Amino acid sequence: MEQQEIFVKMALHAWNVQVGRVDKFLSDLSHDDYFKEIAPGKNRIIYLLGHLTAINDNMIVLFALGNRSFAQLDEAFVKKPDKSGEELPSPDIVKNHWVKSNAELTSYFNKMPYSDWFTKHTIMSDEDFVKEPTRNKLSVLLNRTNHIAYRLGQMVLIKS
Amino acid sequence: MEQQEIFVKMALHAWNVQVGRVDKFLSDLSHDDYFKEIAPGKNRIIYLLGHLTAINDNMIVLFALGNRSFAQLDEAFVKKPDKSGEELPSPDIVKNHWVKSNAELTSYFNKMPYSDWFTKHTIMSDEDFVKEPTRNKLSVLLNRTNHIAYRLGQMVLIKS
C-alpha cells in the first residue's frame, strides 16, 4: 500500500468508527430521548445531532466537492444555541439528515484521489499552505472526527 | 516535507490540540471541582482525569518505548468504575500525573523516527499486520486522541 493510501485509510477508518458509534447510540433511542438534556440545563440530543450534521456537511464546501445538502440546519443548530426558541425539525427528520449526510460524505470521500486529501482546504490561502502543509483536507477530517467523539461523549450521558 | 513526516505531524498536532484543551479546562478548576460529577450519578472529574492518564500512559508499552510510569493508576481508574470505594490520590497528585505523563509521552514521541509510527504495535501479530497495515502505532494515537475528546466533552459539562 502506498503511504498516502495508508494514511487516508487510517483517517477514514477513525472517522467511520465515530460515525458508527453515533449510529449505534441512535439505534435504540425513543422519540422522547431526543428531547433529553445531556446534563441539567445543557444541550439536548436533537440539538447535538443536528449540530454534528451541519458541521460535517460543511466539509463539502471546505473540500470543494460540491454544494452543501444541509445548510438549512445552520440557523438552528450552529448559529443559535439549543433552546433558543428557533423551531427544530422532528427527531425523525434530524436523524434522517444525519444518515443521509454520512452516506453522501462517504460517497464523496471514496471518490477523492488519495493525493487530494493532502491539498489545502478552501478557507486557507496559498501562502499559508506553503508554510504549513499539515493544514490540509485530511487534517480537517481528523478535527471533525474528534468533534464527533466530543459530542458523542456528551450524548451517551442520557443512558443509565 | 516528506509524506511520512506530514502524516505524523498532523496526528501529533491533533493530539496536542486535545491535550491542550484538557490543560486549559484544568487551569481554573478548584479542588472541589474535581469531585463534581459530569452529570447526576455519572463519573467525577478526578476519575476521568486519572482514567485518561492511565490509558495514555499505556502507549509506552504498546509502542515498545519503555516501562510505564503510571501503571499504579490502572486499579482505581481503569479496572474499577468511579466511586467503587477504591481510595483515589488527591486532585493535586492526579493533575500532576496528567501533566508529567504528557511531558513524558511528548518526549518519547519526538524521539520516534517518522517511519516507526507506521510499524505495528505490540499487541498485534505479524500476520494481522500484513493484512491490515493501517493498524499501526499512528492509528493508536488517532484513537487515543478521540478518546481524550470524548472525555473532554464530558468534563466541560461541570462548567456553567
Side-chain angles (χ1 to χ4, degrees):
Chain A
M1 230 186 272
E2 294 291 327
Q3 290 289 349
Q4 283 191 336
E5 181 178 352
I6 289 180
F7 202 65
V8 171
K9 285 191 170 167
M10 284 168 55
L12 284 174
H13 175 74
W15 164 264
N16 286 323
V17 165
Q18 296 303 321
V19 169
R21 285 182 185 165
V22 174
D23 287 340
K24 186 167 184 302
F25 167 77
L26 298 175
S27 67
D28 60 345
L29 283 197
S30 69
H31 181 273
D32 289 351
D33 285 338
Y34 282 84
F35 298 99
K36 285 187 182 160
E37 295 174 332
I38 53 172
K42 305 289 183 179
N43 291 321
R44 296 170 301 171
I45 300 298
I46 190 169
Y47 180 82
L48 291 180
L49 191 63
H51 177 74
L52 282 176
T53 307
I55 296 289
N56 292 345
D57 177 62
N58 193 46
M59 280 191 284
I60 294 172
V61 173
L62 278 176
F63 298 172
L65 298 169
N67 293 318
R68 290 185 56 184
S69 298
F70 301 101
Q72 78 277 14
L73 297 178
D74 285 10
E75 193 60 34
F77 293 101
V78 180
K79 293 180 188 162
K80 297 212 171 105
D82 192 15
K83 296 166 269 182
S84 65
E86 188 83 14
E87 200 178 345
L88 301 186
S90 73
D92 279 354
I93 289 175
V94 175
K95 183 180 175 183
N96 193 263
H97 287 353
W98 163 258
V99 171
K100 277 198 175 156
S101 168
N102 289 322
E104 189 182 23
L105 289 170
T106 296
S107 169
Y108 275 127
F109 293 166
N110 288 341
K111 275 183 238 151
M112 283 169 70
Y114 297 122
S115 59
D116 192 41
W117 285 100
F118 300 92
T119 60
K120 75 182 188 74
H121 49 77
T122 53
I123 52 169
M124 188 158 193
S125 72
D126 290 331
E127 298 82 49
D128 283 348
F129 192 63
V130 169
K131 278 181 270 177
E132 297 181 88
T134 59
R135 292 178 59 193
N136 51 38
K137 291 172 186 166
L138 204 56
S139 73
V140 174
L141 185 73
L142 293 183
N143 178 293
R144 293 298 182 276
T145 303
N146 281 309
H147 181 232
I148 298 178
Y150 182 91
R151 295 305 188 178
L152 178 62
Q154 300 180 330
M155 294 196 288
V156 298
L157 295 174
I158 67 157
K159 304 227 168 167
S160 55
Chain B
M1 232 187 270
E2 293 291 328
Q3 290 288 349
Q4 283 192 334
E5 181 177 352
I6 290 180
F7 305 157
V8 172
K9 285 191 170 168
M10 284 168 56
L12 284 174
H13 175 74
W15 165 264
N16 286 323
V17 165
Q18 297 303 321
V19 169
R21 284 183 186 164
V22 174
D23 287 340
K24 186 167 185 301
F25 167 77
L26 297 175
S27 66
D28 61 346
L29 283 198
S30 70
H31 180 274
D32 289 351
D33 285 338
Y34 282 84
F35 298 100
K36 285 188 181 158
E37 294 173 333
I38 54 173
K42 304 289 182 180
N43 292 319
R44 295 170 302 169
I45 301 298
I46 190 168
Y47 180 82
L48 290 179
L49 191 62
H51 176 75
L52 283 175
T53 306
I55 295 289
N56 293 344
D57 177 62
N58 193 46
M59 281 191 284
I60 294 172
V61 173
L62 277 177
F63 298 173
L65 298 169
N67 293 318
R68 290 184 57 184
S69 297
F70 301 101
Q72 78 277 15
L73 297 178
D74 285 10
E75 192 61 32
F77 293 101
V78 179
K79 293 179 189 163
K80 297 212 171 104
D82 192 15
K83 295 166 271 181
S84 64
E86 188 82 16
E87 201 179 344
L88 300 186
S90 73
D92 280 355
I93 289 175
V94 176
K95 184 180 175 184
N96 193 264
H97 286 353
W98 163 257
V99 171
K100 277 197 174 157
S101 169
N102 289 322
E104 189 182 24
L105 288 170
T106 295
S107 168
Y108 275 127
F109 293 166
N110 288 341
K111 276 183 237 153
M112 284 169 69
Y114 297 122
S115 59
D116 192 40
W117 286 100
F118 299 92
T119 60
K120 75 183 186 71
H121 49 78
T122 53
I123 53 169
M124 188 158 194
S125 73
D126 290 330
E127 298 81 52
D128 284 347
F129 192 63
V130 169
K131 278 180 270 175
E132 297 181 88
T134 59
R135 291 178 59 193
N136 51 37
K137 291 172 186 168
L138 204 56
S139 73
V140 174
L141 184 73
L142 294 183
N143 178 293
R144 293 298 182 275
T145 303
N146 281 310
H147 181 232
I148 298 178
Y150 182 92
R151 296 304 188 177
L152 178 61
Q154 299 180 330
M155 293 198 287
V156 298
L157 296 174
I158 68 156
K159 305 227 169 168
S160 56

